[in-house]
Amino acid sequence: MSETSRPPGMMDVARLAGVSHQTVSRVLNNADSVRPATREKVRRAIAELGYRRNLSARALVTNRTRVIGVVVARGGYYGPGSTSSAIQTAARGRGYATIVASLRDGSPGELAAVVDMLTDHGVEGITAIAPQLGFVEGLRKVARSVPIVVVADGFEVSEGMHPVSVDQRHGARLATQHLIGLGHRRIAHISGPDDWFDSRERVIGWREALQDAGLEVPEVMVGDWSAESGYAMGGRLLEEGLPDAVFSSNDTMALGLLACLADLGIRVPDDISLVGYDDANGAAFFQPPLTTIRQPFEELGARCVEVLLEAIEGHEPEPQRIRPSLRVRRSCRRHQN
């Protein structure tokens, strides 16, 4: 490229494609109003010229950066990680870039610093994957300059914070009702930590399903989402008297429980039925393949971005709650009296 040459611009793309620069803009912004043949011509012209958008210049003109922030608790948990990935994918589909910030401890000071960092980088809004009670309370204190979508089920809505969630209580009811429908009457529950929204809602759904069926509600066995805690619960189940079935609040704890039961010579599902939660990668290949509750993470990510963009445009979006579904595999069988 010579000193006087310049990078290709939008008008160059428009001339090569034989369309207006407004049409090029609509293609770049993924507008639905462009015919497929026209969209393809513009994309070919973009590729031929090597055109790249100057987002910094665009932001100066429009006062819009088309960047959103994603805040997620650190820890490598399946649900928050899957949600974060789904949000990033959905944002790209709407022409938005993302800045992802992973929290170390989720303290109010750290949360405030992360929100300040994101707003300093010009994000138009933030999606916070907020699994724990303290996380949401910290968000309430810093929600001020940009809209915030909160991914948490069962928290009280407050100004500037827009909830989007999977209906965890419904998912737990589905799991428990499936076991009840198979004739099981003593159904134990291994929950996640007490301070997680999802864990609390799943406990409520399990308890409600048992109460509706007129069954005894045993004491909840509290785990920490890990396979190790699931394994530890196997010994406790045996000590306290083996139930007919177990509903585990995630698939990872269910995997640990399966390993412990196998070591103890207890067969799943011949001796005890088991249902997990999440439909994590590989759940269909556990031994036996795990019946579980599938969380619709792709839809959750799309809803988060949709609600956030509505809020960015100045609207007041309705809270969104998505229902999960049951995936029946071979870890359950009809109870033998």
Side-chain angles (χ1 to χ4, degrees), residues 8-321:
M10 190 182 296
M11 293 300 296
D12 300 311
V13 174
R15 277 192 293 271
L16 182 59
V19 298
S20 67
H21 73 275
Q22 292 94 334
T23 297
V24 175
S25 178
R26 286 194 289 271
V27 171
L28 292 170
N29 289 307
N30 295 313
D32 296 331
S33 56
V34 183
R35 289 180 298 180
T38 303
R39 188 183 302 275
E40 184 58 29
K41 280 200 304 183
V42 171
R43 286 176 173 167
R44 283 201 301 267
I46 288 171
E48 183 176 336
L49 292 172
Y51 170 72
R52 294 289 182 271
R53 303 172 79 180
N54 188 335
L55 294 180
S56 298
R58 183 180 184 277
L60 288 173
V61 174
T62 64
N63 202 31
R64 298 287 298 272
T65 62
R66 298 189 75 82
V67 177
I68 62 175
V70 180
V71 180
V72 61
R74 185 178 176 184
Y77 297 108
Y78 181 77
S82 298
T83 304
S84 175
S85 295
I87 291 169
Q88 294 171 62
T89 299
R92 286 197 302 273
R94 298 292 294 269
Y96 275 73
T98 52
I99 300 175
V100 181
S102 177
L103 298 178
R104 182 177 60 255
D105 55 27
S107 65
E110 182 188 24
L111 193 54
V114 164
V115 171
D116 286 343
M117 180 272 291
L118 291 172
T119 53
D120 286 348
H121 279 76
V123 299
E124 297 183 23
I126 294 171
T127 297
I129 303 164
Q132 293 160 292
L133 301 175
F135 195 151
V136 169
E137 292 310 311
L139 280 175
R140 292 189 204 280
K141 297 174 182 178
V142 299
R144 52 185 185 274
S145 55
V146 295
I148 297 179
V149 163
V150 181
V151 186
D153 191 30
F155 86 97
E156 294 183 6
V157 181
S158 58
E159 186 177 357
M161 295 170 61
H162 309 280
V164 178
S165 66
V166 174
D167 190 339
Q168 307 294 346
R169 192 177 304 189
H170 176 73
R173 288 181 68 95
L174 283 178
T176 310
Q177 288 167 347
H178 177 66
L179 293 168
I180 293 170
L182 291 172
H184 300 301
R185 294 296 175 261
R186 294 179 299 132
I187 302 171
H189 179 47
I190 302 174
S191 78
D194 290 335
D195 64 340
W196 282 59
F197 285 102
D198 289 358
S199 178
R200 289 184 167 202
E201 290 297 305
R202 292 170 196 172
V203 169
I204 293 171
W206 162 77
R207 182 181 295 123
E208 288 177 345
L210 291 179
Q211 291 171 338
D212 289 350
L215 299 177
E216 179 184 351
V217 180
E219 181 182 351
V220 175
M221 305 171 69
V222 181
D224 63 7
W225 302 127
S226 71
E228 289 80 5
S229 71
Y231 190 97
M233 295 302 171
R236 181 175 161 188
L237 284 172
L238 193 62
E239 290 173 4
E240 297 178 0
L242 202 64
D244 301 336
V246 176
F247 164 43
S248 172
S249 197
N250 78 342
D251 292 344
T252 304
M253 291 190 297
L255 177 62
L257 178 59
L258 278 170
C260 181
L261 294 175
D263 288 347
L264 294 171
I266 298 169
R267 300 166 301 168
V268 177
D270 293 358
D271 300 322
I272 186 171
S273 289
L274 175 62
V275 177
Y277 204 106
D278 283 336
D279 197 17
N281 295 333
F285 299 94
F286 288 6
Q287 284 299 323
L290 186 66
T291 293
T292 186
I293 300 297
R294 182 182 182 275
Q295 296 209 71
F297 290 114
E298 288 186 9
E299 183 180 357
L300 179 62
R303 293 277 188 97
C304 286
V305 172
E306 179 183 322
V307 167
L308 186 58
L309 297 189
E310 282 188 43
I312 289 170
E313 295 294 336
H315 305 299
E316 190 60 38
E318 291 292 324
Q320 299 286 312
R321 226 172 174 206

